[in-house]
Amino acid sequence: MKNKVSFIAGELFTCLVQSAIFFLISVFISNFFQDEKGLEDFILSKINNLTLKEFMFTCFAVIVIAGLLTLFNRIFKNMNENLPFLEKAIDKTLIEIPKTLYLLSSSIGTLGIVIGFISDNQHIIIMYSIIWISYFIFGCCLSFLLTPKPQN
């Protein structure tokens, strides 16, 4: 149980750090929220450019690369050549999917929350908070499933 809690805490920290980065970028770009037009342009560029399509292509690319690495790993194992770095490379490649989810949640969710605070709109804050939490939960579950467990 303690391992799961520390795992979730580590994933939450990773996601929060990315959110803090996007928040600070929005602060700096908007000249500490003085330039609303600059902030609006930045937020719209992030929300419009980080689409589901881009996310899906990223996941597809990760799966293709992981598949190729797995193919090479199988070929070398069949030739009685054990290359442990290939298995580590596969693990590191697959873990990019949850990281991409965290990037998406931190950009869209955090910037949406900023919009809500600036416009003093509680509904926007709640909606984007739910988006942020949902992406985090999904990313954390994927990361847990994709992270190699220690061999006993």
Side-chain angles (χ1 to χ4, degrees):
M1 180 68 175
K2 185 177 180 181
N3 287 343
K4 289 179 184 175
V5 171
S6 64
F7 179 84
I8 292 169
E11 295 296 304
L12 182 61
F13 182 75
T14 300
C15 199
L16 286 172
V17 165
Q18 288 182 341
S19 294
I21 290 168
F22 273 98
F23 175 76
L24 284 176
I25 291 170
S26 68
V27 168
F28 298 145
I29 283 183
S30 68
N31 193 21
F32 295 87
F33 300 123
Q34 299 300 311
D35 179 12
E36 286 186 38
K37 177 68 175 143
L39 178 62
E40 182 181 317
D41 291 343
F42 171 69
I43 290 173
L44 289 175
S45 75
K46 290 297 161 200
I47 291 176
N48 289 335
N49 290 334
L50 287 173
T51 62
L52 183 60
K53 183 178 179 180
E54 182 179 342
F55 170 71
M56 295 306 289
F57 282 141
T58 302
C59 289
F60 181 67
V62 166
I63 291 168
V64 168
I65 297 299
L68 288 172
L69 290 172
T70 302
L71 174 72
F72 293 136
N73 191 34
R74 175 70 54 94
I75 290 169
F76 284 113
K77 277 186 178 179
N78 287 341
M79 295 170 40
N80 293 324
E81 295 289 329
N82 192 16
L83 301 174
F85 72 89
L86 267 179
E87 289 182 22
K88 289 180 183 176
I90 293 166
D91 293 338
K92 288 183 183 282
T93 302
L94 287 174
I95 209 70
E96 289 302 314
I97 295 173
K99 287 181 183 179
T100 304
L101 273 170
Y102 294 157
L103 178 65
L104 196 62
S105 74
S106 64
S107 62
I108 293 173
T110 303
L111 296 177
I113 293 168
V114 167
I115 291 170
F117 276 113
I118 289 174
S119 64
D120 197 27
N121 187 330
Q122 295 296 319
H123 297 294
I124 292 176
I125 295 170
I126 291 169
M127 181 181 72
Y128 280 101
S129 296
I130 291 170
I131 289 171
W132 190 95
I133 291 167
S134 299
Y135 275 102
F136 169 73
I137 290 171
F138 187 58
C140 188
C141 289
L142 266 179
S143 183
F144 182 77
L145 293 172
L146 294 173
T147 300
K149 307 302 179 261
Q151 302 293 326
N152 290 331

